[in-house]
Amino acid sequence: MSSLRFNPQQMAFYTRLRARQPNGKPGVIAVMRKLLLLCYSLWKNDCVYDPHYHPAHCLEKEVAPTS
């Protein structure tokens, strides 16, 4: 629940889910699952949490043209 208050990305995700469904509980569960997946992937890859991380930007950096 604190993630819904303080994390802008989670707030936006919850707001989109809440607009589709009037009951808030499925939205809260979806946010919890998303956080669990995030925690697991950070632990598995031994990474530090970066709030400004966006996967599309990382893909552009990794795929460098070879000449």
Side-chain angles (χ1 to χ4, degrees):
M1 294 299 290
S2 63
S3 175
L4 290 175
R5 286 189 209 143
F6 300 111
N7 189 336
Q9 295 168 340
Q10 297 296 335
M11 278 190 270
F13 179 64
Y14 179 73
T15 305
R16 285 192 311 265
L17 292 174
R18 184 68 188 211
R20 279 191 257 155
Q21 200 165 21
N23 190 2
K25 192 169 185 175
V28 172
I29 293 170
V31 169
M32 288 178 2
R33 286 183 177 182
K34 193 170 187 173
L35 284 174
L36 183 62
L37 181 64
L38 174 69
C39 291
Y40 178 73
S41 65
L42 289 174
W43 172 71
K44 189 73 174 172
N45 296 322
D46 197 25
C47 295
V48 179
Y49 175 68
D50 180 16
H52 302 292
Y53 173 79
H54 193 276
H57 294 133
C58 291
L59 289 176
E60 291 173 1
K61 292 177 185 176
E62 288 178 7
V63 179
T66 56
S67 306

